[in-house]
Amino acid sequence: MEDRQITLSRVIAASPELVWRCWTDPALLPQWFGPEGYSCTTKEISLRQGGIWRFDMIGPDGKVWPNRHRFTLYDQPRRIEFLMDGDTDADTPFEVVVTLTPEAGGTRITQVMTFPSAEIRNGALAYGADRLGQTTLAKLAKIAEAL
């Protein structure tokens, strides 16, 4: 399974409750989600277990990537799980597990993305998903630490 995964981790100088809020407040999530230089335009948002977030991620060059997150688990303030795809049932979704662990000085966020195949994961790494994901966590930290 490890050959299908990308794991991101960072310590954020904020409580798990504040980091949780950044993931579950419909006003906050679109502000930080996505790599540095990218933005999100929400089409539909219901942030809860069983809920959905449909949005377009817009790159710095104006390219648009449709996205859909289907939330399968909310364990406040410790864990969120969701299926992520290109907002079409033709795509095989990948699984994302976000854990929030109290740590000295704040919260360790760990995000594990499990892709349908090693080939898809390797493609994501080839365009820098790990590096870009770290910029996403930096945007999250900036918002959480300011709350």
Side-chain angles (χ1 to χ4, degrees), residues 10-14 22 32 136-146:
R10 178 187 179 110
V11 175
I12 297 174
C22 290
W32 64 264
T136 299
L137 293 184
K139 288 169 60 180
L140 166 59
K142 185 175 180 182
I143 297 242
E145 291 167 2

Side-chain angles (χ1 to χ4, degrees), residues 10 15 21 32 34-35 41 47 73 86 96 100 103 105 107 112 139:
R10 178 187 179 110
S15 69
R21 181 175 163 206
W32 64 264
T41 302
L47 300 177
L73 178 73
V96 181
L100 307 176
E103 191 167 296
T107 302
V112 179
K139 288 169 60 180

Side-chain angles (χ1 to χ4, degrees), residues 77-144:
R78 294 178 292 274
R79 187 177 178 103
I80 296 172
E81 297 181 9
F82 59 95
L83 300 174
M84 184 174 177
D85 59 40
D87 199 15
T88 173
D89 292 334
D91 292 342
T92 301
F94 61 92
E95 300 171 9
V96 181
V97 175
V98 178
T99 55
L100 307 176
T101 307
E103 191 167 296
T107 302
R108 174 162 301 278
I109 183 169
T110 304
Q111 182 172 315
V112 179
M113 297 168 282
T114 303
F115 294 83
S117 70
E119 181 179 89
I120 294 171
R121 176 238 189 206
N122 292 341
L125 286 172
Y127 75 77
D130 50 346
R131 177 184 49 79
L132 294 170
Q134 289 296 340
T135 71
T136 299
L137 293 184
K139 288 169 60 180
L140 166 59
K142 185 175 180 182
I143 297 242

Side-chain angles (χ1 to χ4, degrees), residues 29-83:
L29 180 60
Q31 289 182 37
W32 64 264
F33 195 86
E36 187 62 44
Y38 291 67
S39 63
C40 294
T41 302
T42 296
K43 300 174 190 174
E44 174 183 356
I45 194 164
S46 176
L47 300 177
R48 59 178 176 76
Q49 187 167 310
I52 191 169
W53 181 31
R54 296 179 53 246
F55 62 97
D56 287 334
M57 185 173 293
I58 303 158
D61 60 358
K63 183 172 179 177
V64 175
W65 290 274
N67 277 262
R68 176 175 59 182
H69 295 182
R70 290 175 283 163
F71 297 97
T72 57
L73 178 73
Y74 263 38
D75 181 14
Q76 183 177 351
R78 294 178 292 274
R79 187 177 178 103
I80 296 172
E81 297 181 9
F82 59 95
L83 300 174

